[in-house]
Amino acid sequence: MFVGLSDPLLQLAHGERELERIDAVLRSSVETGDEFLTQVASHLILAGGKRLRPLFSAAAFSVMDPPDGASDDAIKGGVAVELVQVGSLYHDDVMDEADMRRSVDSVNARWGNLTAILAGDFLLAKASEIAASLGVEVAGLLASTIGQLCEGQVIELQDVFNPGRTMDRYLRSIDGKTAALYATACRIGGIVADLPRPQIDALTAYGHSFGMAFQVVDDVLDTVATEEQLGKPAGHDLIEGVYTLPVLHSLEGPDGAELKGLLGGPLEPAAFDTAIGIVRSGDGVAKALVTADEYVSDAIDAMSSFPDNPVTSALKDTAQLVVEQARQITAAA
Ligand code: GRG
């Protein structure tokens, strides 16, 4: 999913080289004396992933376009963020009993829940170790971000199978579970570049708004995209009782009462087809995409205090692409 979203960052002068550096540090960070733990901890890292968050750390470092690109510390900071991302996916797949991730078996499907939880913990520990090597501020920031991820996930959990879920609680949940990590990826790049505080805050604001747009679009795509496009089963959120923005808008639409009658508990296959049909055919998807557009505008505005250069253009282009891709997939669905 989100094919090509990293392209603007990879097309920068140092982009491909920075991706290679990120991958090398990422792989070596999960090598242990225990062959089995190394295999399990590397599983999703080797399976793929866009590495968007570490690429953001590198780009944030380079926002004034230094000739040599990102420093080793910026790469390490990005790797710490990616390890949190991957660790949270291990845990998320246990919670959701998911079988597939990054188009391969999930860790829990291959080795069981206990191994997946422990390996996820191990990835968080490695992330913390790397963050600590970058100083107290980065270590504290990463720790509080892990806390925000958990808070966002807990808000979501409390609202499972609740058709009365409010948009405010939906937004608070995605703020914690997704936007916080993008904000931190950008912030770490700015911190290790020793940028002035207002610039670090502007990068953080960019990452936060980008992350909000990203998750809204991720939720739209779960509703409209195919299993092949997603690399995991489609309509998963609805099945799991996670009612996201397109569903919440549809509940307020003309077929809202019928949809509400179907939701609130596990769905039989026929009821699932009806429910997802209502969401796809109404204006809930379009309304959610308007919200995503607003966050993209906020992300671009946050970059306005920086000079025009290839790095700032690439960050703005990446934000634009999130919603453009979603509109293309939605139009073709
Ligand atoms: C253990 C840190 C920790 C947290 C526990 C399980 C949990 C609380 C949080 C999970 C939050 C979660 C899974 C959010 C979804 C984030 C998301 C949009 C993932 C997909 O990101 P992409 O599309 O995936 O960037 P790739 O594979 O490219 O990295």
Side-chain angles (χ1 to χ4, degrees):
M1 194 67 298
F2 292 115
V3 183
L5 194 53
S6 314
D7 284 357
L9 298 170
L10 294 177
Q11 282 155 10
L12 288 168
H14 302 280
E16 290 287 353
R17 176 77 192 111
E18 279 167 4
L19 179 62
E20 283 169 21
R21 290 167 68 203
I22 288 163
D23 272 350
V25 178
L26 201 49
R27 284 165 197 232
S28 67
S29 70
V30 291
E31 267 168 29
T32 75
D34 184 291
E35 210 178 303
F36 178 65
L37 180 56
T38 303
Q39 186 189 7
V40 178
S42 312
H43 179 67
L44 281 192
I45 291 171
L46 299 178
K50 298 177 290 299
R51 315 283 195 247
L52 199 49
R53 297 159 187 82
L55 286 169
F56 272 174
S57 299
F61 177 95
S62 298
V63 80
M64 304 308 281
D65 208 10
D68 297 330
S71 68
D72 287 346
D73 279 357
I75 299 294
K76 277 193 214 165
V79 166
V81 167
E82 182 69 8
L83 289 169
V84 172
Q85 156 76 353
V86 179
S88 76
L89 297 180
Y90 280 35
H91 287 187
D92 193 51
D93 288 343
V94 170
M95 292 168 72
D96 289 356
E97 299 175 27
D99 292 333
M100 280 180 80
R101 174 71 75 168
R102 293 183 170 175
S103 301
V104 297
D105 285 349
S106 64
V107 175
N108 45 299
R110 175 91 52 105
W111 290 286
N113 285 348
L114 299 186
T115 300
I117 291 168
L118 279 170
D121 291 343
F122 177 76
L123 293 168
L124 295 182
K126 284 287 155 188
S128 310
E129 195 180 330
I130 294 171
S133 78
L134 301 175
V136 174
E137 184 177 7
V138 173
L141 176 59
L142 199 81
S144 72
T145 307
I146 293 172
Q148 283 177 278
L149 255 79
C150 294
E151 283 177 47
Q153 194 74 357
V154 167
I155 293 174
E156 180 177 295
L157 206 58
Q158 285 172 302
D159 286 342
V160 163
F161 288 121
N162 177 13
R165 184 185 200 191
T166 63
M167 292 197 197
D168 179 57
R169 280 179 66 82
Y170 165 79
L171 293 174
R172 277 174 54 204
S173 166
I174 68 169
D175 190 318
K177 75 173 203 170
T178 303
L181 197 55
Y182 276 111
T184 290
C186 293
R187 190 168 186 84
I188 290 177
I191 292 171
V192 299
D194 212 12
L195 294 177
R197 287 287 138 177
Q199 292 195 349
I200 294 174
D201 290 342
L203 287 167
T204 310
Y206 167 87
H208 180 267
S209 295
F210 176 91
M212 294 296 285
F214 181 94
Q215 188 59 56
V216 170
V217 166
D218 196 59
D219 293 339
V220 166
L221 294 180
D222 188 74
T223 313
V224 299
T226 62
E227 173 162 349
E228 198 190 357
Q229 289 167 322
L230 291 169
K232 58 184 183 180
H236 177 262
D237 292 333
L238 207 51
I239 292 169
E240 292 294 314
V242 177
Y243 304 143
T244 59
L245 198 55
V247 176
L248 298 180
H249 278 303
S250 301
L251 281 162
E252 289 182 347
D255 297 322
E258 186 188 355
L259 181 60
K260 192 171 181 189
L262 295 164
L263 302 186
L267 287 162
E268 295 299 329
F272 169 77
D273 288 344
T274 310
I276 201 151
I278 292 173
V279 180
R280 283 179 178 159
S281 61
D283 63 1
V285 166
K287 283 187 170 165
L289 288 178
V290 168
T291 301
D293 274 332
E294 287 165 4
Y295 284 118
V296 167
S297 297
D298 291 347
I300 290 169
D301 286 351
M303 295 307 296
S304 62
S305 59
F306 293 101
D308 279 333
N309 62 41
V311 179
T312 54
S313 295
L315 285 169
K316 290 182 213 167
D317 290 350
T318 309
Q320 297 270 25
L321 264 183
V322 177
V323 179
E324 269 169 35
Q325 280 200 351
R327 286 202 194 284
Q328 277 168 19
I329 292 172
T330 306

